[in-house]
Amino acid sequence: MANILIFDSGMGGLSVYRELSQTLTGHQYLYLFDNAYFPYGELSESRLVARVVELFRSFVIQHSVDIAVIACNTASTHVLPALRECLTIPIVGVVPAIKPAAEYSRQYQTVGKPAHIGLLATPGTVSRHYTAELVQSFAADLQVSMLGTTELVTMAEDKLAGQAVDLERLQQILALWSNEEGPDTLVLGCTHFPLLAAEISQCLPQVKLIDSGAAIARRVNHLLLELPITQVLALQHQQGRLFCTATTKKALQQARAFSKEGFGELNCFVP
Ligand code: DGL
């Protein structure tokens, strides 16, 4: 059994947790969300890296984390090198699935229409050098369009908190893609967005949605097999353990949604 940390600014990591927990059972899951600094998509790169490194340095040691999943594209596209420099545990990042989307788009492209992929992510992720490099490496021959939005991040959180999704507003946000020239394949490049996949598909019915969740589960599984876990620990907590960085009214509401996914009571972690 391993202590697997899932980390995000908010509830987006749940889309990754759902994939992991389906295939990787019998492990202790810890979920840390940095609501004190939410939304990450609006933070400068220097603040983001300083914050995530600060959190990880103490959390990983205090909670004996064996493997960490940065279930946040906004963080993964920038902070992984700094994190790997200061930690020795395996760290799995979640980055936009440009490569599989490009492969899909090339394969299923409609005759007479150029292959076109869209990237739906946060403002931070679409502006990253790392993202530009992904496009250059795997989709340089395709039309690629990007949309960075924080509004959709909030919409996903509100949906999990039980609010109805405003489909009309979602349609407006996605309007630039809901025409003939729009993408055939759309990368959900923010872990919050698979939580809205049904609604996004309603707005863009012809478009294939692709996210990184299943690939991350395979990667974690592979790394777990290599982990030198010498001690077989008895499962201390049947439920997942939940941590926020600020105990707010919203965090307490969010904890209710997490409890439906198998997490226990909310704890506050301040580095
Ligand atoms: N869930 C995060 C991601 O995958 C970001 C949300 C935020 O802006 O905080 O990028």
Side-chain angles (χ1 to χ4, degrees):
M1 186 212 70
N3 285 329
I4 304 176
L5 170 64
I6 303 192
F7 172 73
D8 186 26
S9 57
M11 305 176 84
L14 271 179
S15 66
V16 177
Y17 168 74
R18 285 175 185 171
E19 294 281 353
L20 290 179
S21 59
Q22 260 175 33
T23 42
L24 303 172
T25 52
H27 296 286
Q28 175 66 66
Y29 286 95
L30 299 96
Y31 191 115
L32 170 64
F33 64 105
D34 190 12
N35 57 323
Y37 279 63
F38 174 90
Y40 272 11
E42 306 283 337
L43 290 187
S44 72
E45 292 187 340
S46 54
R47 269 194 100 192
L48 182 62
V49 77
R51 173 62 175 173
V52 177
V53 167
E54 177 195 30
L55 273 180
F56 269 70
R57 271 186 193 280
S58 41
F59 191 92
V60 160
I61 295 170
Q62 276 182 36
H63 295 282
S64 309
V65 173
D66 296 304
I67 185 164
V69 180
I70 313 299
C72 173
N73 294 258
T74 311
S76 297
T77 48
H78 189 64
V79 308
L80 289 179
L83 266 188
R84 288 186 174 133
E85 218 166 275
C86 66
L87 298 172
T88 51
I89 58 163
I91 299 172
V92 179
V94 178
V95 300
I98 300 287
K99 187 180 179 202
E103 282 163 2
Y104 185 92
S105 182
R106 268 184 219 107
Q107 193 174 351
Y108 295 100
Q109 140 184 43
T110 330
V111 187
K113 188 180 177 294
H116 178 185
I117 66 173
L119 170 62
L120 188 60
T122 64
T125 299
V126 299
S127 66
R128 296 268 187 270
H129 180 65
Y130 184 91
T131 304
E133 277 185 345
L134 276 182
V135 171
Q136 188 54 37
S137 308
F138 302 112
D141 56 323
L142 305 185
Q143 185 182 344
V144 179
S145 43
M146 302 191 195
L147 176 63
T149 163
T150 295
E151 201 178 337
L152 239 66
V153 175
T154 312
M155 248 187 210
E157 301 236 322
D158 291 345
K159 178 185 172 183
L160 284 187
Q163 277 183 40
V165 176
D166 183 346
L167 276 177
E168 218 169 286
R169 181 63 197 134
L170 186 59
Q171 190 85 59
Q172 280 168 6
I173 296 170
L174 300 173
L176 80 162
W177 284 333
S178 52
N179 55 49
E180 280 282 291
E181 278 77 51
D184 46 77
T185 310
L186 183 62
V187 179
L188 301 181
C190 168
T191 52
H192 280 76
F193 299 163
L195 304 170
L196 288 173
E199 292 82 2
I200 295 171
S201 278
Q202 245 174 288
C203 297
L204 303 172
Q206 316 298 346
V207 179
K208 168 77 178 171
L209 305 183
I210 292 196
D211 67 65
S212 311
I216 297 305
R218 285 196 297 276
R219 178 79 190 129
V220 174
N221 188 26
H222 177 80
L223 288 169
L224 281 175
L225 297 175
E226 287 180 354
L227 264 190
I229 300 176
T230 43
Q231 232 181 330
V232 179
L233 301 168
L235 196 58
Q236 292 164 343
H237 304 270
Q238 291 300 328
Q239 295 175 312
R241 303 183 66 203
L242 182 63
F243 301 85
C244 62
T245 53
T247 318
T248 58
K249 217 169 132 194
K250 184 182 168 195
L252 293 169
Q253 272 169 5
Q254 288 172 313
R256 281 201 284 277
F258 277 104
S259 74
K260 291 187 193 134
E261 312 266 345
F263 286 88
E265 64 175 29
L266 182 65
N267 303 279
C268 188
F269 174 78
V270 179

